[in-house]
Amino acid sequence: MTVRTATLQGISASRGPARGLLIAGSPKHGGGESLTARAEKVAAIAAADAAAVDSDSRFPAEAIAAAREQRLLSVAVPPEFGGEGADISEIADICYALGRACASTAMVYAMHQTKVACLTRHGRSSAWHQLLMRRVCGEQMLLASSTTEGDRGGDIRNSTAPVERQGARIALDRSATVISYGEAADAVVTTARRSADAASADQVLVVLLKQDYTLERQVGWDALGMRGTCSAGFRLIASAASEQILPVPYDEIHTRTMMPVAHLLWSSAWAGIAAAAVERTRAFVRKARQRADGALPPGAGHLTRANASVQKLRGLIANALQRFELAADDPATLESLEFQTAMNLLKVNASELAVATVMSAMQASGLAGYRNDGEFSIGRHLRDILSAPIMINNDRILANLGAASLLSSVPASIRD
Ligand SMILES: Cc1cc2nc3c(=O)[nH]c(=O)nc-3n(C[C@H](O)[C@H](O)[C@H](O)COP(=O)(O)OP(=O)(O)OC[C@H]3O[C@@H](n4cnc5c(N)ncnc54)[C@H](O)[C@@H]3O)c2cc1C
């Protein structure tokens, strides 16, 4: 299919006046302001609504509208397709800034950017996906992710529902147990079995535009934390053009992009949540010290511990970002056992450290942090961060890495 026929089949459908006001490719995205300044504007809006998003378990619509206004949804798209070519460290910093403000907004942004990375790194040879990248820029489309299926839990390397081919069209009927912001998204990027006679691990990644699918809600989202991600479960029924399948197998996409980028960006969002809890606790300890004529409260040592673990978390992520950036265009390194293990363990370690940080913050602030009311409450942060170890369960990741652990030897020196 040519770009023109893709356009005719609806990919360029207009979405109304509120979005896509700037021409994709304009060098002055966001008025020429730095990414940091633009992210801070979005974070301020996200912070103002964070409590309501949590209590009402509602999508952070205002923050995502602000992200669209600041053109943050397309910053990672290469300039040749209308984006700004932001690198992963810049995206990680945005996730961190949003995480300090509103965990759900940060996670929505992280998941969207993970899908954008799959598209930009594996869709460049396809006219359909090139056009989609331009549309993400022009219309600030929000992409959701569907990997969890039926009762397979976090076993995302296997799919049950196959892509059914009908000439140039495909059909998919999938038990999409969890799709965060599924109802608010402009497209769902989903894994699927390549065909009815393919093995469960022979998967493809398909981009489905809103007009291609219906979502029948099967289960709602009343969760302990991350309430604004609105991660409900659906039956996803879709009919689309076969060009919408990414041109490389999911196995390759997962290994080279989906897993490492998801783990880097999720970890950055979690670091933001942990840092926000530390900030609140520091304010509590300062106030307590003022009240006690300069004497530190008894729990102050836990603040020191929280500070130390957030620094460790930051170092862990920074190191992994650098590692990914160095390997990004080197398939052999990306696919190596060492790199895959490191990126999987990043998720495990970052989630555990983030939880430990928020727990230390809670211990430092005692009742002031524990209560839901009051300026020093960190109940929301604790509930949100408890999603980290279960979002692709750490136990599953550790069990999968069991055999690899037998193969890797202990380093011969500290610095190698
Ligand atoms: C906030 C949030 C947002 C999400 N958004 C999305 C989304 O947008 N799209 C999407 O597709 N999915 C999403 N998910 C789902 C996520 O990707 C995982 O599929 C899900 O967290 C797995 O949950 P589970 O506990 O049901 O499954 P499992 O991974 O099956 O875990 C269930 C239990 O089994 C144990 N277990 C599993 N495997 C092993 C093993 N090998 N060894 C030992 N123990 C094991 C675990 O410890 C756990 O107690 C989201 C999850 C969260 C928390």
Side-chain angles (χ1 to χ4, degrees), residues 76-410:
V77 174
E80 66 199 278
F81 301 113
E84 299 173 51
D87 60 37
I88 184 140
S89 293
E90 291 172 308
I91 304 296
D93 270 337
I94 298 174
C95 293
Y96 175 75
L98 296 178
R100 287 175 64 188
C102 168
S104 293
T105 302
M107 191 45 74
V108 169
Y109 189 74
M111 289 193 273
H112 164 80
Q113 288 297 347
T114 303
K115 295 292 124 171
V116 170
C118 293
L119 192 61
T120 59
R121 282 167 58 79
H122 304 280
R124 279 174 182 239
S125 65
S126 144
W128 195 93
H129 295 97
Q130 286 181 8
L131 200 56
L132 180 67
M133 282 187 257
R134 292 190 181 282
R135 192 171 163 190
V136 168
C137 298
E139 300 172 36
Q140 294 295 295
M141 289 173 72
L142 179 66
L143 312 183
S145 170
S146 176
T147 53
T148 308
E149 184 179 20
D151 55 11
R152 283 187 179 277
D155 177 22
I156 67 172
R157 299 301 300 276
N158 289 285
S159 288
T160 304
V163 164
E164 308 271 6
R165 290 175 192 264
Q166 299 150 352
R169 303 284 299 167
I170 54 168
L172 181 66
D173 185 344
R174 174 177 165 87
S175 169
T177 330
V178 190
I179 308 183
S180 293
Y181 56 97
E183 282 156 346
D186 300 304
V188 172
V189 184
T190 181
T191 48
R193 198 145 58 91
R194 179 177 297 281
S195 62
D197 54 6
S200 62
D202 185 3
Q203 296 166 288
V204 290
L205 194 65
V206 191
V207 182
L208 300 169
L209 305 175
K210 206 167 183 73
Q211 71 258 27
D212 299 327
Y213 59 83
T214 55
L215 291 175
E216 289 176 9
R217 201 185 245 252
Q218 307 287 306
V219 57
W221 181 250
D222 182 3
L224 187 65
M226 287 291 182
R227 291 168 60 79
T229 59
C230 300
S231 308
F234 305 93
R235 178 176 173 198
L236 169 70
I237 305 167
S239 168
S242 54
E243 285 92 339
Q244 293 174 232
I245 299 175
L246 273 112
V248 293
Y250 179 66
D251 179 42
E252 189 176 312
I253 299 172
H254 183 91
T255 311
R256 297 184 192 178
T257 303
M258 170 82 181
M259 184 278 287
V261 171
H263 290 182
L264 288 163
L265 299 186
W266 295 354
S267 298
S268 304
W270 297 330
I273 301 168
V278 172
E279 276 177 313
R280 282 200 179 193
T281 303
R282 187 178 295 127
F284 165 76
V285 171
R286 279 204 183 116
K287 194 164 185 179
R289 190 170 74 160
Q290 275 170 9
R291 280 198 198 123
D293 291 332
L296 281 169
H302 289 292
L303 174 61
T304 308
R305 197 186 287 275
N307 265 329
S309 60
V310 89
Q311 290 303 335
K312 196 167 154 191
L313 180 55
R314 190 179 163 278
L316 186 76
I317 299 167
N319 180 279
L321 282 167
Q322 193 182 30
R323 202 164 172 176
F324 180 75
E325 281 174 341
L326 284 173
D329 299 321
D330 176 0
T333 303
L334 290 172
E335 288 173 11
S336 69
L337 186 62
E338 200 190 355
F339 183 85
Q340 289 291 306
T341 304
M343 290 296 148
N344 272 303
L345 286 179
L346 166 70
K347 192 268 158 181
V348 174
N349 291 332
S351 59
E352 287 178 356
L353 260 177
V355 171
T357 307
V358 181
M359 277 307 298
S360 293
M362 175 72 85
Q363 281 173 287
S365 48
L367 186 60
Y370 184 75
R371 53 190 304 152
N372 282 325
D373 51 359
E375 60 186 314
F376 304 118
S377 170
I378 49 176
R380 172 162 54 83
H381 303 80
L382 184 60
R383 288 186 288 101
D384 287 334
I385 208 62
L386 287 176
S387 67
I390 64 158
M391 195 169 172
I392 307 298
N393 202 291
N394 286 354
D395 289 345
R396 181 186 288 280
I397 294 176
L398 290 172
N400 288 347
L401 291 176
S405 303
L406 289 177
L407 294 175
S408 57
S409 52
V410 170

